[in-house]
Amino acid sequence: MSAQAAMAGLAGAEAATTGGLNSAGPAPVRIVVAYGFWLFLLSDIIMFSALFASYAVLSGQTAGGPSGRELFELRHVGIETLCLLLSSYTCGLGVVAIERRRLVFFYVSFALTFALGATFLGLEVSEFVGLVARGAGPSRSAFLSAFFSLVGLHGAHVTAGLLWLTFMVAQTAARGPRDFVRRRLLCFSLFWHALDIIWVALLTLVYLMGAR
Amino acid sequence: MEQHAQRYAGSIDQAPGVGENEHSDSMAMYTAGLGFALLLTCASFMVSQTDLLWPPGVPAGLAVLAIAQMGVHLVFFLQIGTGPDNTNNVVALAFGLLVVTLVVSGSLWIMAHLNANMMPASAIMEMQR
């Protein structure tokens, strides 16, 4: 059913070249699942865009409190960025490994992904704790409220991703690299890469532009 | 399922992250993507921390670098390409981008005008007296 729905959706785009539904029948489950998950990721990005817009509007409203230039430490942020980029890479390698049925390589890659993701999260939490300790908590100014909700939502996504990763590693260990397990691992890797894209926007708008 | 996949191979669509030659190409794609992403990140940090670029042009430069890096992530990590098999993914992405642009630029535009047309707080206090 969902395969047919996906086909109907693409029929419009393909109609010009193939004249409607393809004769090969509905797409394989793996294609349909990944396409559906891609739509979810796009809607997630749209949700983030609302918070980006509110941050952009409120970033100057410091209410006499500290501004980004006084608060952000770019060295710290650089390490966070490096962690996320490398974890995206190891996550991609893990998915390649599971497709080739190389389980040891897969476990090592995903363990590294988890470690890098957890390091990122630890750095972010320590940054938040430091800000609150300096009296620059989310209730200090509109700028800081927008900052904490935008960066905090990204952090919440990373936390959810780490939980999902742990669950998927356990499932792979229990059920082996079957079709449905590999589909879920593919979705997880798409989620993790999408978080990276959001972090690039966040790094540029919040930290690099804010610290100038 | 296996038969179906074979019958299907080489016909139409592709999904994000599902490369055509998953077994040979993907590793090289990820490595190239990581290289480009690291380069662009370093460039962003450099542009923001030094006076390499003409200072009033720095935000625009950062925006260009960020958009380039998001493109790198889409192509090399999510593997959304421009090939004919990728039409659905690109159409969905284009719609997402349209909504994101409307939300962000619309909010900024409206709030800038509201801000400009707002009576100063002192004048409002005067009126209430």
Side-chain angles (χ1 to χ4, degrees):
Chain A
M1 188 61 220
S2 61
Q4 282 169 354
M7 285 298 291
L10 69 86
E14 294 286 335
T17 50
T18 62
L21 289 179
N22 193 279
S23 56
V29 179
R30 187 174 169 82
I31 302 280
V32 175
V33 167
Y35 182 60
F37 198 74
W38 172 231
L39 294 184
F40 160 72
L41 288 176
L42 285 168
S43 66
D44 210 30
I45 288 174
I46 288 169
M47 177 183 71
F48 266 103
S49 80
L51 283 170
F52 272 109
S54 60
Y55 179 85
V57 166
L58 296 173
S59 61
Q61 314 299 316
T62 53
S67 68
R69 192 173 309 146
E70 298 152 43
L71 293 175
F72 301 147
E73 289 171 45
L74 283 189
R75 205 173 56 84
H76 199 92
V77 177
I79 299 172
E80 284 183 342
T81 307
L82 196 63
C83 283
L84 265 197
L85 279 180
L86 288 175
S87 81
S88 224
Y89 179 64
T90 56
C91 175
L93 293 191
V95 171
V96 174
I98 198 81
E99 290 303 321
R100 296 181 186 178
R101 308 293 190 281
R102 284 162 66 178
L103 280 176
V104 177
F105 188 13
F106 163 76
Y107 287 125
V108 171
S109 305
F110 266 51
L112 280 174
T113 308
F114 185 91
L116 289 162
T119 312
F120 168 85
L121 208 59
L123 286 169
E124 192 166 285
V125 168
S126 80
E127 185 195 14
F128 280 6
V129 169
L131 286 179
V132 172
R134 289 170 64 178
S139 54
R140 178 62 190 83
S141 64
F143 152 65
L144 283 164
S145 307
F147 168 81
F148 273 91
S149 42
L150 177 58
V151 182
L153 185 69
H154 179 269
H157 274 74
V158 175
T159 313
L162 287 179
L163 288 175
W164 189 5
L165 187 157
T166 316
F167 179 78
M168 283 320 299
V169 168
Q171 192 165 52
T172 312
R175 309 293 297 272
R178 298 186 195 183
D179 279 355
F180 77 93
V181 175
R182 285 185 291 116
R183 278 201 302 272
R184 291 172 186 180
L185 285 168
L186 175 67
C187 287
F188 168 75
S189 78
L190 293 176
F191 179 75
W192 202 249
H193 296 322
L195 284 187
D196 241 24
I197 294 185
I198 290 165
W199 178 257
V200 171
L202 212 155
L203 168 75
T204 304
L205 178 73
V206 176
Y207 291 105
L208 293 180
M209 290 186 183
R212 281 187 63 80
Chain B
M1 187 66 224
E2 200 70 14
Q3 268 183 344
H4 177 69
Q6 276 183 1
R7 194 153 51 92
Y8 197 82
S11 57
I12 50 170
D13 23 67
Q14 217 180 315
V18 188
E20 271 175 280
N21 284 320
E22 224 159 324
H23 298 272
S24 55
D25 280 344
S26 284
M27 198 85 109
M29 282 284 265
Y30 283 121
T31 311
L34 180 71
F36 283 131
L38 285 175
L39 267 178
L40 285 165
T41 306
C42 290
S44 294
F45 271 90
M46 230 162 75
V47 164
S48 83
Q49 290 308 289
T50 62
D51 281 340
L52 217 61
L53 220 60
W54 180 56
V58 164
L62 286 175
V64 168
L65 285 169
I67 290 168
Q69 190 170 351
M70 287 190 241
V72 164
H73 282 259
L74 279 175
V75 172
F76 289 93
F77 288 160
L78 284 153
Q79 304 186 359
I80 307 276
T82 51
D85 299 349
N86 239 317
T87 321
N88 310 318
N89 305 328
V90 177
V91 168
L93 173 66
F95 179 67
L97 283 182
L98 173 72
V99 178
V100 168
T101 314
L102 286 177
V103 169
V104 174
S105 64
S107 306
L108 285 173
W109 187 37
I110 290 169
M111 293 309 288
H113 281 252
L114 261 184
N115 213 15
N117 294 332
M118 190 74 91
M119 197 181 282
S122 54
I124 295 175
M125 298 296 268
E126 280 298 319
M127 282 179 71
Q128 283 172 345
R129 214 168 271 171

